[in-house]
Structures are given as structure tokens and as C-alpha cells.
Amino acid sequence: KEVTPEQILKYSSLAVEPLEDSIALMRLLYPVVVALSLLTAAGIAVLFVMTSAREAAILRILGTTKLRSHAMLALQTAVTSLAGLLLGVAGVLAYAGRTRPELLAGLVSASVLCAVLYLLAAIAGAVLSAVSVTARNPLELLQVRE
């Protein structure tokens, strides 16, 4: 039995339509995932700085200026985030280069863009929380709350 071009077109459209639907869904979900990732980065940075509120209070009591305390707390989180991002991006690129080298060129620019956005969100969260922590009275931060 011979297959006609119309039948080939019909069967190929049955195979391609679900893939096109998946691609459309990914185009819709990608910005949402990026936004959630950025909010997560900022939230984790805030959490890290808030856990070091006691150290910030001790620095302030010892006479460190507010600006210096801001910088120390924010840099502590920013450097940690940068180190983690560099390791993560290097791992992703090494894995992709080994398993799918044809995708590596497109993956590099997307990975770097997402890493930079993530780092900026982490820095923004760290700076804002460092300012809010050091703006309070240092003695309040040293009190143990139960």
C-alpha cells in the first residue's frame, strides 16, 4: 500500500501539533519562572542578612559606621551568591558542552543573562535588608526573643 502526500502531511501534523503546544506553553512559563527565581534570590539574600543581625548589632556597638555595616553585610551575601552562581553556570555549561555541544552557543547567553539577573536580585535583597537591619537600635537586635 502506497502512502500519499496528503497522508504524510496529516500524520506529520498530528505529531507536530503537541510539540507546538508545548513550545507555546514554555514561552508563557519562562518569564514566570525567571520572575520567581529573582524573587527567590532576593528572599534568600534577605534571610541570610537577617540571620546575621546579631553580628550587625555587635559591629554597630563596637563603633562601626552604618555605611560600613551596610557594605559588610551586603558584600558577604553578594560574594557568596556570586561564587555559587559561577560554580552553577560552569557546571551547567560543562554538562551541556559534554552532552549537547550543538546547544552550547545558545545556552551560554541565556545562562549568563539569568545569572546576572539572579545576582542583581540577590544584591538588591542583601542591600535592602542590610539597611533595614542596621537602621534599628543595636541593643534591640541583641535581645533574645522567645
Side-chain angles (χ1 to χ4, degrees):
K1 180 176 172 180
E2 189 157 324
V3 179
T4 65
E6 291 82 22
Q7 289 175 325
I8 292 174
L9 186 61
K10 177 185 169 189
Y11 291 125
S12 65
S13 69
L14 290 175
V16 172
E17 282 181 24
L19 294 174
E20 289 175 346
D21 292 342
S22 294
I23 290 171
L25 181 63
M26 290 299 169
R27 284 191 182 130
L28 176 71
L29 289 179
Y30 182 74
V32 173
V33 170
V34 169
L36 287 175
S37 175
L38 297 179
L39 288 173
T40 302
I44 289 172
V46 168
L47 181 65
F48 282 148
V49 172
M50 291 298 183
T51 58
S52 60
R54 183 180 174 130
E55 289 84 11
I58 292 170
L59 286 172
R60 292 288 294 128
I61 288 173
L62 291 175
T64 307
T65 64
K66 283 186 180 183
L67 183 61
R68 188 175 185 109
S69 298
H70 297 321
M72 290 171 70
L73 290 173
L75 281 175
Q76 179 181 3
T77 302
V79 168
T80 305
S81 296
L82 179 63
L85 276 174
L86 290 177
L87 287 173
V89 169
V92 165
L93 295 179
Y95 176 76
R98 191 182 61 198
T99 59
R100 304 287 302 264
E102 68 275 3
L103 297 177
L104 193 59
L107 190 61
V108 169
S109 61
S111 297
V112 169
L113 175 65
C114 288
V116 167
L117 290 174
Y118 188 88
L119 184 63
L120 290 175
I123 290 171
V127 168
L128 291 174
S129 59
V131 168
S132 71
V133 164
T134 55
R136 290 191 265 169
N137 185 355
L139 294 177
E140 286 178 13
L141 296 172
L142 291 174
Q143 292 176 349
V144 176
R145 295 182 183 143
E146 295 182 27

